[in-house]
Short mmCIF file of all heavy atoms in Angstrom, two decimals:
data_model
loop_
_atom_site.label_atom_id
_atom_site.label_comp_id
_atom_site.label_asym_id
_atom_site.label_seq_id
_atom_site.Cartn_x
_atom_site.Cartn_y
_atom_site.Cartn_z
N ALA N 1532 -20.20 -6.28 -19.13
CA ALA N 1532 -20.87 -5.09 -18.59
C ALA N 1532 -20.59 -4.94 -17.09
O ALA N 1532 -20.37 -3.82 -16.60
CB ALA N 1532 -22.37 -5.16 -18.84
N GLU N 1533 -20.60 -6.05 -16.39
CA GLU N 1533 -20.30 -5.99 -14.95
C GLU N 1533 -18.86 -5.56 -14.71
O GLU N 1533 -18.57 -4.78 -13.80
CB GLU N 1533 -20.56 -7.36 -14.32
CG GLU N 1533 -22.03 -7.71 -14.20
CD GLU N 1533 -22.25 -9.16 -13.80
OE1 GLU N 1533 -21.35 -10.00 -14.02
OE2 GLU N 1533 -23.35 -9.45 -13.27
N GLY N 1534 -17.95 -6.08 -15.53
CA GLY N 1534 -16.56 -5.68 -15.41
C GLY N 1534 -16.38 -4.20 -15.67
O GLY N 1534 -15.63 -3.51 -14.96
N GLU N 1535 -17.05 -3.69 -16.67
CA GLU N 1535 -16.96 -2.26 -16.99
C GLU N 1535 -17.51 -1.41 -15.85
O GLU N 1535 -16.98 -0.34 -15.54
CB GLU N 1535 -17.70 -1.97 -18.29
CG GLU N 1535 -17.55 -0.54 -18.79
CD GLU N 1535 -16.11 -0.14 -19.04
OE1 GLU N 1535 -15.31 -1.01 -19.48
OE2 GLU N 1535 -15.77 1.04 -18.79
N ALA N 1536 -18.58 -1.88 -15.21
CA ALA N 1536 -19.17 -1.13 -14.09
C ALA N 1536 -18.19 -1.04 -12.93
O ALA N 1536 -18.08 0.01 -12.28
CB ALA N 1536 -20.46 -1.81 -13.64
N VAL N 1537 -17.45 -2.12 -12.68
CA VAL N 1537 -16.45 -2.10 -11.60
C VAL N 1537 -15.33 -1.12 -11.96
O VAL N 1537 -14.85 -0.36 -11.10
CB VAL N 1537 -15.89 -3.50 -11.34
CG1 VAL N 1537 -14.79 -3.44 -10.27
CG2 VAL N 1537 -16.99 -4.45 -10.89
N LYS N 1538 -14.92 -1.11 -13.21
CA LYS N 1538 -13.86 -0.19 -13.63
C LYS N 1538 -14.31 1.27 -13.50
O LYS N 1538 -13.50 2.16 -13.19
CB LYS N 1538 -13.41 -0.50 -15.06
CG LYS N 1538 -12.52 -1.73 -15.14
CD LYS N 1538 -11.83 -1.86 -16.49
CE LYS N 1538 -12.60 -2.71 -17.42
NZ LYS N 1538 -11.87 -2.97 -18.70
N GLN N 1539 -15.57 1.51 -13.70
CA GLN N 1539 -16.09 2.87 -13.49
C GLN N 1539 -15.99 3.28 -12.02
O GLN N 1539 -15.74 4.44 -11.70
CB GLN N 1539 -17.54 2.97 -13.98
CG GLN N 1539 -17.69 2.88 -15.49
CD GLN N 1539 -16.91 3.97 -16.22
OE1 GLN N 1539 -17.00 5.16 -15.88
NE2 GLN N 1539 -16.13 3.56 -17.21
N GLN N 1540 -16.20 2.31 -11.13
CA GLN N 1540 -16.01 2.59 -9.70
C GLN N 1540 -14.55 2.91 -9.40
O GLN N 1540 -14.25 3.80 -8.59
CB GLN N 1540 -16.47 1.39 -8.87
CG GLN N 1540 -17.96 1.15 -8.92
CD GLN N 1540 -18.36 -0.12 -8.17
OE1 GLN N 1540 -17.56 -1.04 -8.01
NE2 GLN N 1540 -19.59 -0.16 -7.70
N LEU N 1541 -13.64 2.19 -10.04
CA LEU N 1541 -12.21 2.47 -9.84
C LEU N 1541 -11.85 3.86 -10.36
O LEU N 1541 -10.99 4.54 -9.78
CB LEU N 1541 -11.38 1.40 -10.55
CG LEU N 1541 -11.43 0.00 -9.91
CD1 LEU N 1541 -10.78 -1.03 -10.81
CD2 LEU N 1541 -10.77 0.00 -8.54
N LEU N 1542 -12.50 4.29 -11.43
CA LEU N 1542 -12.27 5.65 -11.92
C LEU N 1542 -12.71 6.69 -10.90
O LEU N 1542 -12.09 7.75 -10.77
CB LEU N 1542 -13.00 5.87 -13.25
CG LEU N 1542 -12.34 5.29 -14.50
CD1 LEU N 1542 -13.24 5.50 -15.70
CD2 LEU N 1542 -10.97 5.93 -14.74
N LYS N 1543 -13.80 6.40 -10.19
CA LYS N 1543 -14.24 7.32 -9.14
C LYS N 1543 -13.16 7.50 -8.07
O LYS N 1543 -13.02 8.57 -7.48
CB LYS N 1543 -15.52 6.80 -8.46
CG LYS N 1543 -16.79 6.92 -9.28
CD LYS N 1543 -17.97 6.45 -8.45
CE LYS N 1543 -19.27 6.54 -9.20
NZ LYS N 1543 -20.42 6.09 -8.37
N ALA N 1544 -12.40 6.44 -7.82
CA ALA N 1544 -11.35 6.51 -6.81
C ALA N 1544 -10.30 7.55 -7.15
O ALA N 1544 -9.69 8.13 -6.25
CB ALA N 1544 -10.70 5.14 -6.63
N ALA N 1545 -10.09 7.81 -8.44
CA ALA N 1545 -9.13 8.84 -8.84
C ALA N 1545 -9.58 10.21 -8.33
O ALA N 1545 -8.76 10.99 -7.80
CB ALA N 1545 -8.98 8.86 -10.36
N ASP N 1546 -10.85 10.51 -8.48
CA ASP N 1546 -11.38 11.81 -8.02
C ASP N 1546 -11.35 11.89 -6.49
O ASP N 1546 -11.05 12.95 -5.92
CB ASP N 1546 -12.81 12.01 -8.51
CG ASP N 1546 -12.88 12.11 -10.03
OD1 ASP N 1546 -11.90 12.56 -10.65
OD2 ASP N 1546 -13.93 11.74 -10.60
N ILE N 1547 -11.65 10.78 -5.82
CA ILE N 1547 -11.63 10.79 -4.35
C ILE N 1547 -10.21 10.91 -3.84
O ILE N 1547 -9.94 11.62 -2.86
CB ILE N 1547 -12.33 9.54 -3.79
CG1 ILE N 1547 -13.75 9.43 -4.32
CG2 ILE N 1547 -12.35 9.59 -2.26
CD1 ILE N 1547 -14.42 8.10 -4.02
N ASN N 1548 -9.28 10.24 -4.49
CA ASN N 1548 -7.86 10.38 -4.14
C ASN N 1548 -7.44 11.84 -4.22
O ASN N 1548 -6.77 12.37 -3.32
CB ASN N 1548 -7.01 9.51 -5.09
CG ASN N 1548 -5.52 9.56 -4.80
OD1 ASN N 1548 -4.88 10.59 -4.96
ND2 ASN N 1548 -4.96 8.43 -4.40
N ALA N 1549 -7.86 12.51 -5.29
CA ALA N 1549 -7.55 13.93 -5.44
C ALA N 1549 -8.20 14.77 -4.34
O ALA N 1549 -7.61 15.74 -3.84
CB ALA N 1549 -8.01 14.41 -6.82
N ALA N 1550 -9.42 14.40 -3.95
CA ALA N 1550 -10.11 15.13 -2.88
C ALA N 1550 -9.39 14.97 -1.55
O ALA N 1550 -9.27 15.93 -0.77
CB ALA N 1550 -11.56 14.64 -2.76
N VAL N 1551 -8.91 13.76 -1.26
CA VAL N 1551 -8.14 13.54 -0.03
C VAL N 1551 -6.86 14.36 -0.07
O VAL N 1551 -6.47 14.98 0.93
CB VAL N 1551 -7.83 12.03 0.14
CG1 VAL N 1551 -6.83 11.81 1.28
CG2 VAL N 1551 -9.11 11.25 0.42
N GLN N 1552 -6.21 14.39 -1.22
CA GLN N 1552 -4.99 15.21 -1.34
C GLN N 1552 -5.30 16.69 -1.10
O GLN N 1552 -4.50 17.40 -0.48
CB GLN N 1552 -4.38 15.04 -2.72
CG GLN N 1552 -3.76 13.68 -2.97
CD GLN N 1552 -2.92 13.66 -4.23
OE1 GLN N 1552 -2.15 14.59 -4.49
NE2 GLN N 1552 -3.06 12.62 -5.02
N ALA N 1553 -6.45 17.14 -1.58
CA ALA N 1553 -6.81 18.55 -1.42
C ALA N 1553 -7.10 18.90 0.03
O ALA N 1553 -6.82 20.02 0.49
CB ALA N 1553 -8.02 18.87 -2.30
N GLN N 1554 -7.65 17.94 0.80
CA GLN N 1554 -8.03 18.23 2.19
C GLN N 1554 -6.89 18.01 3.18
O GLN N 1554 -6.90 18.60 4.27
CB GLN N 1554 -9.21 17.33 2.60
CG GLN N 1554 -10.54 17.76 2.00
CD GLN N 1554 -11.69 16.96 2.57
OE1 GLN N 1554 -12.61 16.59 1.84
NE2 GLN N 1554 -11.68 16.68 3.85
N THR N 1555 -5.94 17.18 2.84
CA THR N 1555 -4.91 16.81 3.82
C THR N 1555 -4.08 18.00 4.31
O THR N 1555 -3.83 18.11 5.52
CB THR N 1555 -4.00 15.71 3.24
OG1 THR N 1555 -4.78 14.53 3.01
CG2 THR N 1555 -2.87 15.37 4.20
N PRO N 1556 -3.65 18.93 3.46
CA PRO N 1556 -2.85 20.06 3.98
C PRO N 1556 -3.58 20.87 5.06
O PRO N 1556 -2.97 21.27 6.05
CB PRO N 1556 -2.58 20.90 2.74
CG PRO N 1556 -2.61 19.91 1.61
CD PRO N 1556 -3.69 18.95 1.98
N SER N 1557 -4.88 21.11 4.88
CA SER N 1557 -5.61 21.87 5.89
C SER N 1557 -5.78 21.07 7.17
O SER N 1557 -5.75 21.63 8.27
CB SER N 1557 -6.98 22.30 5.35
OG SER N 1557 -7.76 21.17 5.00
N PHE N 1558 -5.92 19.74 7.04
CA PHE N 1558 -6.00 18.89 8.23
C PHE N 1558 -4.68 18.94 9.00
O PHE N 1558 -4.67 19.06 10.23
CB PHE N 1558 -6.33 17.45 7.83
CG PHE N 1558 -6.60 16.54 9.00
CD1 PHE N 1558 -7.89 16.40 9.49
CD2 PHE N 1558 -5.58 15.85 9.62
CE1 PHE N 1558 -8.15 15.56 10.58
CE2 PHE N 1558 -5.82 15.01 10.70
CZ PHE N 1558 -7.10 14.86 11.19
N ILE N 1559 -3.58 18.86 8.28
CA ILE N 1559 -2.25 18.95 8.93
C ILE N 1559 -2.11 20.30 9.62
O ILE N 1559 -1.64 20.38 10.77
CB ILE N 1559 -1.13 18.75 7.89
CG1 ILE N 1559 -1.18 17.33 7.32
CG2 ILE N 1559 0.24 19.02 8.53
CD1 ILE N 1559 -0.21 17.11 6.17
N LYS N 1560 -2.51 21.36 8.95
CA LYS N 1560 -2.39 22.70 9.54
C LYS N 1560 -3.22 22.83 10.81
O LYS N 1560 -2.75 23.35 11.83
CB LYS N 1560 -2.83 23.75 8.52
CG LYS N 1560 -2.71 25.18 9.03
CD LYS N 1560 -3.11 26.17 7.94
CE LYS N 1560 -2.99 27.61 8.46
NZ LYS N 1560 -3.40 28.58 7.40
N GLU N 1561 -4.44 22.31 10.77
CA GLU N 1561 -5.33 22.40 11.93
C GLU N 1561 -4.81 21.62 13.12
O GLU N 1561 -4.99 22.02 14.27
CB GLU N 1561 -6.73 21.91 11.54
CG GLU N 1561 -7.74 22.00 12.68
CD GLU N 1561 -9.11 21.48 12.28
OE1 GLU N 1561 -9.31 21.15 11.09
OE2 GLU N 1561 -9.98 21.39 13.17
N HIS N 1562 -4.14 20.50 12.86
CA HIS N 1562 -3.68 19.61 13.93
C HIS N 1562 -2.15 19.56 14.00
O HIS N 1562 -1.57 18.58 14.45
CB HIS N 1562 -4.24 18.21 13.73
CG HIS N 1562 -5.73 18.16 13.63
ND1 HIS N 1562 -6.39 18.23 12.43
CD2 HIS N 1562 -6.69 18.08 14.58
CE1 HIS N 1562 -7.70 18.19 12.64
NE2 HIS N 1562 -7.91 18.10 13.94
N TYR N 1563 -1.52 20.65 13.57
CA TYR N 1563 -0.07 20.63 13.40
C TYR N 1563 0.67 20.38 14.72
O TYR N 1563 1.65 19.63 14.76
CB TYR N 1563 0.41 21.93 12.77
CG TYR N 1563 1.87 21.88 12.38
CD1 TYR N 1563 2.27 21.19 11.24
CD2 TYR N 1563 2.84 22.52 13.16
CE1 TYR N 1563 3.61 21.13 10.88
CE2 TYR N 1563 4.17 22.45 12.80
CZ TYR N 1563 4.56 21.76 11.67
OH TYR N 1563 5.88 21.70 11.32
N ARG N 1564 0.22 21.00 15.80
CA ARG N 1564 0.91 20.81 17.08
C ARG N 1564 0.89 19.34 17.49
O ARG N 1564 1.90 18.79 17.94
CB ARG N 1564 0.27 21.68 18.16
CG ARG N 1564 1.00 21.62 19.51
CD ARG N 1564 0.31 22.52 20.52
NE ARG N 1564 0.42 23.92 20.13
CZ ARG N 1564 1.44 24.70 20.44
NH1 ARG N 1564 2.44 24.22 21.15
NH2 ARG N 1564 1.45 25.96 20.06
N GLN N 1565 -0.25 18.69 17.32
CA GLN N 1565 -0.35 17.27 17.68
C GLN N 1565 0.49 16.39 16.76
O GLN N 1565 1.24 15.52 17.21
CB GLN N 1565 -1.82 16.82 17.60
CG GLN N 1565 -2.74 17.49 18.60
CD GLN N 1565 -4.19 17.39 18.14
OE1 GLN N 1565 -4.63 18.12 17.26
NE2 GLN N 1565 -4.92 16.45 18.72
N LEU N 1566 0.36 16.62 15.46
CA LEU N 1566 1.05 15.76 14.50
C LEU N 1566 2.56 15.94 14.55
O LEU N 1566 3.32 14.96 14.51
CB LEU N 1566 0.53 16.05 13.08
CG LEU N 1566 -0.93 15.68 12.83
CD1 LEU N 1566 -1.39 16.20 11.47
CD2 LEU N 1566 -1.13 14.17 12.90
N SER N 1567 3.01 17.18 14.66
CA SER N 1567 4.45 17.41 14.66
C SER N 1567 5.10 16.99 15.98
O SER N 1567 6.33 16.85 16.06
CB SER N 1567 4.76 18.89 14.40
OG SER N 1567 4.22 19.71 15.43
N GLY N 1568 4.28 16.77 17.00
CA GLY N 1568 4.81 16.34 18.29
C GLY N 1568 4.72 14.85 18.54
O GLY N 1568 5.02 14.38 19.63
N MET N 1569 4.32 14.09 17.52
CA MET N 1569 4.17 12.64 17.70
C MET N 1569 5.50 12.00 18.09
O MET N 1569 6.54 12.32 17.50
CB MET N 1569 3.66 11.97 16.42
CG MET N 1569 2.23 12.28 16.07
SD MET N 1569 1.58 11.16 14.77
CE MET N 1569 2.64 11.55 13.39
N THR N 1570 5.42 11.11 19.07
CA THR N 1570 6.61 10.35 19.47
C THR N 1570 6.47 8.87 19.14
O THR N 1570 7.45 8.16 18.97
CB THR N 1570 6.88 10.50 20.97
OG1 THR N 1570 5.70 10.08 21.70
CG2 THR N 1570 7.20 11.95 21.32
N ASN N 1571 5.26 8.38 19.10
CA ASN N 1571 4.95 7.02 18.63
C ASN N 1571 3.48 6.99 18.24
O ASN N 1571 2.70 7.85 18.63
CB ASN N 1571 5.28 5.95 19.67
CG ASN N 1571 4.59 6.19 20.99
OD1 ASN N 1571 3.88 7.19 21.17
ND2 ASN N 1571 4.76 5.30 21.93
N ALA N 1572 3.12 5.99 17.43
CA ALA N 1572 1.76 5.99 16.90
C ALA N 1572 1.28 4.58 16.62
O ALA N 1572 2.08 3.65 16.43
CB ALA N 1572 1.71 6.83 15.62
#
Side-chain angles (χ1 to χ4, degrees):
E1533 288 170 338
E1535 186 59 35
V1537 177
K1538 284 193 266 186
Q1539 290 302 310
Q1540 292 176 335
L1541 290 170
L1542 281 176
K1543 287 184 180 180
D1546 295 331
I1547 303 169
N1548 181 293
V1551 170
Q1552 290 192 44
Q1554 285 187 220
T1555 297
S1557 60
F1558 187 90
I1559 295 173
K1560 181 178 180 181
E1561 181 181 354
H1562 304 93
Y1563 188 76
R1564 184 180 294 273
Q1565 295 159 282
L1566 294 171
S1567 62
M1569 290 193 297
T1570 57
N1571 56 358

